Amino acid sequence: MEDRAFSYLQPSENPYQPSPSNSYSSQMKSGIVIRELLAKSPRCSICTGVVPRQAISIDHNERRQDGGAASVDNAQLTHPYCNTGFKEARISKTRKTRATTGTLF
Ligand SMILES: [Zn+2]
């Protein structure tokens, strides 16, 4: 794939470049807001992606079926998707790998 294919996603200007007029451009204001909000946004404990406030899921770090308690210490913020299919697929894949490794070695 050519690098030019996604050239439209590259900003034409650096949003943090100081303005010669000593006033903040709209692009710089947006860059500052995004930088501040991203640094303070909650992250998914499973995939580490930013979790929007409208879509927070509370997950058992140690799964209920594995004896995980509904305690504050066992809770983690996740995406709803990561708390369901993605997490289960990752756990079952790990278990299959361990099972396979266990029978081979
Ligand atoms: Zn996630």
Side-chain angles (χ1 to χ4, degrees):
M1 185 179 302
E2 288 185 46
D3 291 336
R4 291 180 37 188
F6 297 105
S7 63
Y8 65 92
L9 294 173
Q10 301 301 314
S12 58
E13 302 171 23
N14 179 349
Y16 307 115
Q17 184 71 35
S19 171
S21 68
N22 283 343
S23 61
Y24 294 113
S25 67
S26 296
Q27 190 172 9
M28 183 179 265
K29 289 178 185 175
S30 296
I32 292 166
V33 169
I34 290 170
R35 182 187 66 189
E36 294 295 316
L37 292 179
L38 283 178
K40 296 172 184 166
S41 296
R43 298 274 176 173
C44 175
S45 297
I46 296 173
C47 76
T48 71
V50 173
V51 178
R53 292 181 185 167
Q54 303 88 345
I56 291 177
S57 179
I58 306 298
D59 180 36
H60 288 74
N61 189 21
E62 180 181 6
R63 299 183 321 160
R64 285 187 293 180
Q65 61 206 67
D66 295 335
S71 65
V72 172
D73 293 337
N74 193 37
Q76 60 183 1
L77 295 181
T78 67
H79 295 113
Y81 173 76
C82 293
N83 190 12
T84 55
F86 177 73
K87 179 180 177 181
E88 295 303 318
R90 192 175 71 172
I91 288 170
S92 66
K93 186 177 180 180
T94 302
R95 287 184 174 158
K96 285 178 187 173
T97 303
R98 284 184 188 156
T100 303
T101 304
T103 56
L104 291 175
F105 298 105

